[in-house]
Amino acid sequence: MSHRKKNSHLNELPAYTGQFETKTRIHYLGYSPDGCFEKQTNNLREIRSLMNEDRVSWVRVFGMNDAGLIIELAKIAGLNVLDAKDILTTQHIMTIEEYEKNIFVILPVLYTVDGQSVVEQVALICGKNYLISIQESDHPLFESIYHAIQNGSYLKFNNRRSDFLMASIFNEVISYYSDEVIRLENNLEDLEDQLLDIKQIHNNLIPEIQEKRRSMIRLRKLLFPFKSEWSKLLRADPGLINEQEIPYFKDIYDQMLYILQNLESCREILSSLVDLYLNNNDVKMNVVMKQLTLVATIFIPLTFLAGVWGMNFKFMPELDLRYGYLCAWLIMIAGGTFVWWYLKRKDWL
């Protein structure tokens, strides 16, 4: 079910089109080699003055329901209304745009909450000494980075610029996708093990296979734009992304390629699962037909004898036998037993 609304006209004021009802709040975190400073405020003038100080500023925005606040914040960062519209319009593909003073990124993030996969859009605006991250919910997507900055750890975080902070966020996003692909791989392997056991009943596996197929398609749609857009970061202005941080971006790109390779293997496994399921059905049908054929083979001679002795001819010698009924039963039992023994000997049973 899609929760997306439409911003139908370019001259309309952008509005949030997603499904999260998180109230918009802004958390400021500034850090330098001397330490870090943080503040919770929705006052954009105060945010702007904090961003101009001599330290790296991380402006964390949670919730997009206050569209006006998002638009004004985007303007402070030097973006235009159309960029703000892209931020507020969810279900957007991964996009990277380089401007004169910053890099603008639209980033869909896939993660799991209580066993359910959730797709959330995150926008990043990275300048020389600041990074603005805007997400739809208040889910702690990047809390590990936040705590690392607080503790002054994580590869001497406080001695690096905002481009390393952006690389760290990308790394977290890729790790979320990696977890999803690994989970999908494990589920597919479990399904494969079940299908290989032909003694089990697999009546409910097709809906499950279809669900995994939809998950795989969604992952492909979300991840493939990364491959084409990532080159923009590797060729970005050195004033925005320092050359010493390029190896980190290349490493993240290698991780992403590895995830895409695993996703392709999932695609192949899914195709083989469908074939395996259909093959199992054919095998089971053949087993049923074989069993019915064997039963019919055992009873064919008995049916023949019963048909012969059931004819109402006047002169039938067997009709006058005192023990004819008993002899008929013995002959039929013996005939059925012989056919069964013969089939058993030929390993048809």
Side-chain angles (χ1 to χ4, degrees), residues 225-272:
F226 280 70
K227 192 173 182 180
S228 58
E229 292 289 314
W230 200 260
S231 59
K232 296 179 182 178
L233 292 176
L234 302 180
R235 299 193 305 264
D237 190 320
L240 296 174
I241 296 182
N242 198 304
E243 290 185 1
Q244 70 174 358
E245 309 297 355
I246 292 296
Y248 291 98
F249 285 94
K250 289 183 177 179
D251 181 66
I252 295 170
Y253 182 70
D254 291 338
Q255 294 180 46
M256 181 184 60
L257 291 180
Y258 178 72
I259 294 172
L260 288 173
Q261 289 176 356
N262 289 345
L263 198 56
E264 285 301 312
S265 69
C266 290
R267 184 182 182 184
E268 294 176 1
I269 293 174
L270 273 169
S271 299
S272 66

Side-chain angles (χ1 to χ4, degrees), residues 218-231:
R218 179 172 61 176
L219 278 167
R220 281 172 56 86
K221 286 182 177 179
L222 293 173
L223 276 172
F224 264 80
F226 280 70
K227 192 173 182 180
S228 58
E229 292 289 314
W230 200 260
S231 59

Side-chain angles (χ1 to χ4, degrees), residues 65-240:
N65 283 283
D66 190 344
L69 187 66
I70 303 296
I71 294 169
E72 290 303 315
L73 185 60
K75 289 180 179 179
I76 290 175
L79 302 185
N80 55 46
V81 176
L82 291 180
D83 292 326
K85 193 172 187 178
D86 288 340
I87 295 172
L88 295 167
T89 304
T90 58
Q91 300 182 4
H92 204 290
I93 64 171
M94 196 269 193
T95 304
I96 297 176
E97 297 291 344
E98 181 182 354
Y99 295 117
E100 183 179 353
K101 296 183 179 180
N102 53 47
I103 294 174
F104 174 53
V105 180
I106 296 290
L107 189 65
V109 182
L110 179 65
Y111 57 91
T112 301
V113 178
D114 298 330
Q116 298 293 325
S117 295
V118 179
V119 179
E120 179 175 346
Q121 181 163 293
V122 175
L124 303 177
I125 308 169
C126 182
K128 186 175 181 179
N129 65 339
Y130 67 86
L131 177 74
I132 302 173
S133 64
I134 306 171
Q135 62 181 83
E136 294 184 75
S137 74
D138 56 0
H139 186 77
L141 289 173
F142 313 119
E143 285 301 295
S144 60
I145 301 174
Y146 166 68
H147 292 303
I149 295 174
Q150 277 189 320
N151 300 329
S153 59
Y154 193 40
L155 297 177
K156 300 180 180 178
F157 215 116
N158 293 348
N159 292 318
R160 295 180 180 270
R161 297 188 339 186
S162 56
D163 50 357
F164 182 73
L165 174 58
M166 182 171 66
S168 302
I169 289 177
F170 275 122
N171 188 64
E172 285 289 303
V173 171
I174 292 299
S175 68
Y176 283 123
Y177 279 107
S178 178
D179 292 341
E180 289 293 325
V181 173
I182 290 173
R183 189 177 294 109
L184 178 61
E185 278 187 307
N186 293 335
N187 291 336
L188 292 178
E189 288 175 0
D190 292 340
L191 284 174
E192 191 173 31
D193 292 338
Q194 293 180 49
L195 286 171
L196 288 173
D197 187 359
I198 61 174
K199 294 181 180 179
Q200 291 188 10
I201 299 175
H202 307 129
N203 294 334
N204 298 323
L205 287 188
I206 277 294
E208 194 169 350
I209 292 173
Q210 285 296 100
E211 179 187 351
K212 303 307 176 191
R213 179 176 173 273
R214 286 192 290 268
S215 298
M216 186 270 296
I217 291 174
R218 179 172 61 176
L219 278 167
R220 281 172 56 86
K221 286 182 177 179
L222 293 173
L223 276 172
F224 264 80
F226 280 70
K227 192 173 182 180
S228 58
E229 292 289 314
W230 200 260
S231 59
K232 296 179 182 178
L233 292 176
L234 302 180
R235 299 193 305 264
D237 190 320
L240 296 174

